[in-house]
Amino acid sequence: MPEPEPVAQTITPKPSFLASRIGGFPRTFWVLWTGSLLNRLGTMVEPFIGVYLTQARGHSLAVAGLVMAVYGAGALLSQLIAGWLTDRIGRRATLTGGMLVAAAGMLALGYSTSLPWIVAAMFVVGLALDAYRPASQALVADLIPAADRPRAYGLLFWAFNVGFSVAMSVGGLLAQSGIIWLFWINAVSAVAFGALVWVAVPETKTASQKKGGGFRDVLRDRLMLAFVLLSLAYTMIYSQAFSTLPLAMIGSGLTTVQYGVAMATNGILIVIVQPLINAWLARRDHSTVLAVGVAIVGVGFAFHALATSMTGFMVALLIWTTGEVITAGIGGAVVAGLAPPHLRGRYMGVYGFAWSGAALLAPPLGTWLLSIGPVALWCTMGVLGLAAAAGHMAIAPAIRRRAVQPAL
């Protein structure tokens, strides 16, 4: 009897280093990614709002603080309104509309001279500037399978950081030639992002996603609320990098230039390291990755309590930047997994509400703790980070079960 022919085995080639990190995404995702990068490259006004209000318009620091609080209130509402619109009228229309309103608000703010008009324009800018986020994140959830979402959200996070780093550098130079240039560049980049989405991104909301539901359904999802509260704790810690950290460094005898160098280092590390480990982290359990990253961020900020020199602050920054890189993109992927398809916009809006809420709550809390002493501030942040990490581990089994059997 003749021996049977050997069965040929097909060996699937291992994807290349580059393909494992950016491969497998549809063209629509890359259009969104390109638009997001373009938009962030033009986001030059926000970091210089205080300079504009005090120097270009001659208002006091107290008035500038109140006007910026109005901006924060608009940003807080924007996530919920944009989340609702994302589910009601679609991802494409919400994103494009938000960008056009943001552009109009930017130009109105740049040319406003009276305080009432400045306040009104600031509220509109706060309401519209980040309104694209729930729509963008819901669009990614529509396009990308669950297993690849951490990579996708991580790539968007990387684009945001590249764009913001360039915008900070170029914006500082352009502000010396006339701050109105910043408003025009911000407006043009917003219009370009909106137009690109309108022309090249099809609506991803399907007929099956048009059934009823509202924020009440999100608020009844206790697992989602627990995750949002843990996200709020993390963002309360992270926001200290932009509110109390410069004050603490100056209080230790350092300069604003040294703070700028420290934050530039943070951006450079994210740009270099995050693409290298994003694909590897995406294959790990999301809750465990978040717990590790949040704990490292908390420990890193706690290390600021020991810093008395630039070297000490840089060591602490390197630690919490590592945690920031680890968490990049994971939170959005978790929320996308928790959200029913017809409520993705609202879920993303509530998740974004945690980030906007921290932007309002973190500065007063941080400055109050700093007035007690740096040790009180940084140790509180460390404890908060470890508590949030423990919370992520506590809800991890429920997150895993939801990933297997999504909520309806």
Side-chain angles (χ1 to χ4, degrees):
M1 177 182 291
E3 294 184 3
E5 293 287 334
V7 178
Q9 294 184 350
T10 303
I11 301 176
T12 303
K14 185 178 179 180
S16 66
F17 176 84
L18 191 62
S20 67
R21 280 148 183 82
I22 66 173
F25 296 130
R27 172 184 172 275
T28 302
F29 169 78
W30 288 114
V31 172
L32 178 67
W33 184 91
T34 302
S36 300
L37 176 61
L38 180 65
N39 182 52
R40 295 306 288 182
L41 285 170
T43 305
M44 297 183 180
V45 171
E46 189 176 0
F48 299 98
I49 284 290
V51 176
Y52 164 73
L53 292 172
T54 55
Q55 296 185 13
R57 294 294 177 241
H59 294 294
S60 66
L61 289 173
V63 171
L66 290 174
V67 174
M68 291 169 73
V70 170
Y71 170 85
L76 195 64
L77 292 174
S78 76
Q79 297 302 292
L80 300 180
I81 294 173
W84 175 75
L85 288 172
T86 296
D87 289 332
R88 292 285 293 182
I89 67 174
R91 288 70 161 128
R92 180 168 168 255
T94 301
L95 204 159
T96 298
M99 287 293 96
L100 295 178
V101 173
M106 279 292 173
L107 293 180
L109 179 60
Y111 286 99
S112 295
T113 55
S114 67
L115 186 58
W117 280 108
I118 289 175
V119 170
M122 279 290 283
F123 182 75
V124 171
V125 170
L127 201 61
L129 193 62
D130 284 338
Y132 72 92
R133 290 183 184 273
S136 172
Q137 291 177 325
L139 197 151
V140 170
D142 294 341
L143 290 172
I144 309 298
D148 288 330
R149 284 174 191 158
R151 278 199 304 133
Y153 288 121
L155 285 169
L156 285 176
F157 173 82
W158 186 84
F160 293 155
N161 277 277
V162 171
F164 185 72
S165 298
V166 174
M168 284 284 287
S169 303
V170 177
L173 295 174
L174 287 174
Q176 298 175 0
S177 302
I179 202 164
I180 194 64
W181 283 106
L182 305 187
F183 291 92
W184 273 102
I185 292 172
N186 218 145
V188 169
S189 69
V191 170
F193 184 22
L196 182 63
V197 168
W198 189 257
V199 170
V201 174
E203 178 55 58
T204 59
K205 178 186 174 187
T206 63
S208 64
Q209 295 174 3
K210 293 181 181 178
K211 60 182 179 179
F215 281 111
R216 185 177 299 177
D217 299 280
V218 185
L219 297 177
R220 281 201 293 256
D221 188 342
R222 288 185 287 183
L223 181 57
M224 174 63 182
L225 293 184
F227 184 80
V228 169
L229 287 175
L230 294 174
S231 300
L232 177 63
Y234 169 74
T235 53
M236 290 286 287
I237 303 167
Y238 178 71
S239 295
Q240 302 305 322
F242 305 98
S243 55
T244 54
L245 180 58
L247 299 176
M249 292 181 69
I250 291 171
S252 295
L254 302 178
T255 67
T256 55
V257 172
Q258 288 173 303
Y259 170 72
V261 169
M263 296 311 295
T265 303
N266 166 262
I268 291 169
L269 286 173
I270 290 172
V271 170
I272 294 174
V273 177
Q274 196 258 336
L276 300 178
I277 66 172
N278 186 27
W280 183 82
L281 290 172
R283 297 191 296 270
R284 300 308 182 266
D285 176 69
H286 295 349
S287 295
T288 303
V289 171
L290 280 175
V292 171
V294 171
I296 292 174
V297 168
V299 170
F301 275 90
F303 260 78
H304 284 306
L306 305 176
T308 57
S309 64
M310 183 65 175
T311 300
F313 279 103
M314 287 298 293
V315 169
L317 181 140
L318 291 174
I319 295 172
W320 62 258
T321 297
T322 301
E324 182 185 2
V325 169
I326 290 172
T327 61
I330 303 297
V334 170
V335 176
L338 292 175
H342 67 290
L343 292 175
R344 278 177 178 153
R346 290 177 174 88
Y347 269 71
M348 291 301 180
V350 172
Y351 176 55
F353 188 82
W355 286 83
S356 299
L360 278 180
L361 298 175
L365 174 64
T367 50
W368 175 70
L369 289 170
L370 185 59
S371 69
I372 299 173
V375 173
L377 168 63
W378 302 125
C379 288
T380 300
M381 294 302 111
V383 171
L384 187 60
L386 294 176
H392 279 297
M393 293 307 297
I395 66 173
I399 295 286
R400 295 186 196 107
R401 286 194 296 271
R402 182 74 69 86
V404 175
Q405 186 175 7
L408 299 177

